[in-house]
Amino acid sequence: MHVTHGNRFPRARRWAGTALAVSALLGAAITTAGPASAAPRSAPKAPAPPADCSAAYKIEQTVDGGTTWRMCWHYNTYSGLILDKISYQPKGEAKPIPVLTSARLAQIHVPYDDGEAEFDDITGVEIGRFLQQLKTSECPGGTIKTVKVADRGNVPGLCVTTRARGHAYRLNNDASTSGNGKVYTAQGKDLLVYTVNKAAWYEYITEWRFSSDGTITSNVGATGSLSPYDFDGGDDRGWPIGKGDQAKAESHSHNVFWRLNFGLDGSPKAKVEQYDSKVTPPSGQGSPKTKTTRTPITKELMGDRKDMRWWRVVSTAGKNKDNHPRSYEIVPGASQKHAGRPYTKHDVYFTQYKKCEQYASNNIGCPNGYPKSVDQWVGGESLKHPITWVNIGFHHIARDEDQQPMPVHWQGFSLAPRDVTAMSPLTPSDLSGVNGRPRT
């Protein structure tokens, strides 16, 4: 938790002292970061990748099945790691398939249950400034890249490695219960890209995984330590930590936002679709029926999760070899939605691209008087170049096991390929002829 909260001192003032202390620990002279209500600031000049994505800013990795992922990266003192020009080239595709123009964190909003503190860890605390140096053991089998951080210089803090994920697929090619057919099976391996950023007592692991089947997964893991200044929660907003019930760690939420700028098939123009399935109970001795409907999302939207509802972003510039338009489905992970602010009340947002709309709350870089949060940008404009915002919440009620250090708790989402390739990119060669046909 944030060391800024405790003993009923004004928390903004306590944060100022803490920021300076953390700065000293990191050996850097850092401008003190204020709370979420701080005055707007212009985005700092941050190192950016060269236009040609030179070797220092390039990531390229081939994983199982011959799939190759390529991307550029750069870094700023707010979001930290930003991935650019992400493309996917599975076996059998003559050239890379562009997927995302950029992908990054857009906010970590942290309100405390007593209503006395509320933080925007991206644009208020500026966690990008507090990039942590990684040990070699934290990046097994990989490479730790050096990141230039404003006011601090070079920090070896970006891990690029691969990690096993278990079964990629398994098929016994015998429909009978005997299972005596040929077994097709393979183990999967992901490209893993991550950084660790400190927010006082908390440490955030920002992780991106790229799988051989075309799936992209992003998770934020919170670890570090419970704040020793926040053991004063009441029975209805805290949890006893340690002996007896004298110290009650105060509960709070982590509302994490991501900003995704799709560039499917090299074009920023895309369509957004929502799918809803409705189950009708059986009549008499029959079976239940399910009907799925597609709703084109032509204007900006604040979307809410619902059973059997999902969204996809659809290419307008390319199709797979079956002549189906390529798309990516948004697959949110487990979430505990926070109703305290308008921008945390919805699970996904689709907005028309505006250059200055970069952070989901406490946005910086727009002109004075411009709306500050993503919910205020949904104004009915037609979606020609949609920006996707994903909100995943976690209500952290502490437990004894959270000390010390605190085990990582994760929250995140995936982007699942839907018709990006005509068949699974991992299909064994002797099964390649079953496309669109039943097995015999």
Side-chain angles (χ1 to χ4, degrees):
M1 294 182 194
H2 300 76
V3 70
T4 64
H5 319 144
N7 301 334
R8 296 297 162 261
F9 279 68
R11 292 182 177 181
R13 184 180 304 170
R14 184 173 290 277
W15 169 250
T18 302
L20 291 174
V22 173
S23 171
L25 287 171
L26 293 172
I30 299 177
T31 304
T32 302
S37 58
R41 298 175 303 284
S42 296
K45 297 293 183 181
D52 63 351
C53 191
S54 63
Y57 294 95
K58 185 176 183 179
I59 298 171
E60 181 174 333
Q61 179 68 50
T62 299
V63 290
D64 56 292
T67 293
T68 300
W69 286 96
R70 297 177 178 88
M71 65 201 71
C72 303
W73 66 272
H74 71 283
Y75 192 89
N76 75 25
T77 54
Y78 293 110
S79 293
L81 177 65
I82 301 172
L83 299 179
D84 306 295
K85 302 178 182 178
I86 299 171
S87 70
Y88 159 57
Q89 187 175 10
K91 181 180 66 177
E93 292 292 333
K95 59 183 180 179
I97 301 168
V99 178
L100 288 160
T101 301
S102 69
R104 61 173 175 78
L105 284 179
Q107 195 56 269
I108 303 175
H109 170 249
V110 187
Y112 277 71
D113 282 18
D114 65 356
E116 294 187 19
E118 182 177 2
F119 294 86
D120 289 315
D121 281 350
I122 299 294
T123 54
V125 176
E126 300 179 27
I127 64 169
R129 293 183 181 272
F130 302 101
L131 178 67
Q132 298 296 285
Q133 179 173 328
L134 297 176
K135 296 181 178 180
T136 303
S137 60
E138 295 182 89
C139 191
T143 300
I144 298 176
K145 291 181 175 285
T146 298
V147 181
K148 187 174 182 180
V149 181
D151 302 322
R152 291 182 56 203
N154 293 331
V155 179
L158 170 60
C159 173
V160 179
T161 188
T162 57
R163 185 169 294 175
R165 71 172 185 277
H167 275 87
Y169 61 81
R170 189 185 192 281
L171 168 66
N172 186 315
N173 203 21
D174 181 352
S176 72
T177 56
S178 64
N180 292 324
K182 181 176 179 179
V183 174
Y184 299 88
T185 183
Q187 296 291 296
K189 183 178 288 186
D190 296 337
L191 165 63
L192 175 64
V193 181
Y194 84 90
T195 59
V196 179
N197 294 82
K198 198 166 179 64
W201 296 99
Y202 259 119
E203 297 188 19
Y204 291 115
I205 305 171
T206 303
E207 176 184 283
W208 293 88
R209 287 176 177 263
F210 301 89
S211 300
S212 53
D213 64 358
T215 300
I216 301 172
T217 300
S218 185
N219 288 296
V220 168
T223 183
S225 175
L226 294 170
S227 166
Y229 295 97
D230 273 313
F231 287 175
D232 55 359
D235 288 339
D236 60 349
R237 52 183 170 79
W239 195 270
I241 297 294
K243 301 291 185 182
D245 63 354
Q246 296 303 305
K248 291 187 174 68
E250 185 146 334
S251 304
H252 56 281
S253 290
H254 297 260
N255 303 310
V256 181
F257 290 83
W258 288 260
R259 181 183 184 274
L260 306 170
N261 184 2
F262 279 89
L264 283 166
D265 293 299
S267 174
K269 296 180 180 180
K271 296 185 294 184
V272 177
E273 296 175 346
Q274 177 177 305
Y275 289 79
D276 290 276
S277 299
K278 183 178 180 181
V279 179
T280 302
S283 175
Q285 298 300 314
S287 297
K289 295 182 179 180
T290 303
K291 181 180 180 180
T292 300
T293 58
R294 177 181 67 92
T295 304
I297 305 301
T298 59
K299 297 184 182 297
E300 295 172 317
L301 173 74
M302 294 184 281
D304 296 300
R305 290 207 288 192
K306 186 179 177 181
D307 285 346
M308 303 181 83
R309 168 178 288 175
W310 53 278
W311 300 268
R312 70 169 182 159
V313 178
V314 187
S315 173
T316 61
K319 296 181 179 181
N320 68 17
K321 293 175 182 177
D322 282 345
N323 202 36
H324 299 150
R326 294 188 174 101
S327 70
Y328 264 83
E329 179 182 342
I330 299 163
V331 186
S335 183
Q336 297 163 337
K337 194 155 50 176
H338 186 276
R341 292 290 184 186
Y343 50 84
T344 60
K345 290 182 178 180
H346 304 282
D347 300 298
V348 297
Y349 298 81
F350 298 100
T351 61
Q352 174 63 13
Y353 172 81
K354 299 288 189 304
K355 184 176 181 180
C356 75
E357 295 175 359
Q358 295 290 321
Y359 301 96
S361 67
N362 193 20
N363 185 53
I364 56 174
C366 286
N368 289 335
Y370 199 91
K372 294 291 185 184
S373 57
V374 64
D375 61 295
Q376 297 176 303
W377 303 333
V378 179
E381 190 171 349
S382 295
L383 288 175
K384 304 297 184 183
H385 176 178
I387 298 297
T388 302
W389 309 77
V390 180
N391 170 30
I392 303 293
F394 175 72
H395 187 215
H396 189 184
I397 299 177
R399 53 187 179 145
D400 276 339
E401 290 87 350
D402 280 342
Q403 50 182 10
Q404 171 97 301
M406 181 167 55
V408 184
H409 56 79
W410 295 97
Q411 55 200 104
F413 71 100
S414 293
L415 298 174
R418 181 170 283 276
D419 307 335
V420 174
T421 52
M423 295 182 68
S424 167
L426 305 179
T427 297
S429 58
D430 56 341
L431 294 179
S432 61
V434 300
N435 183 23
R437 304 176 189 174
R439 285 192 300 121
T440 57

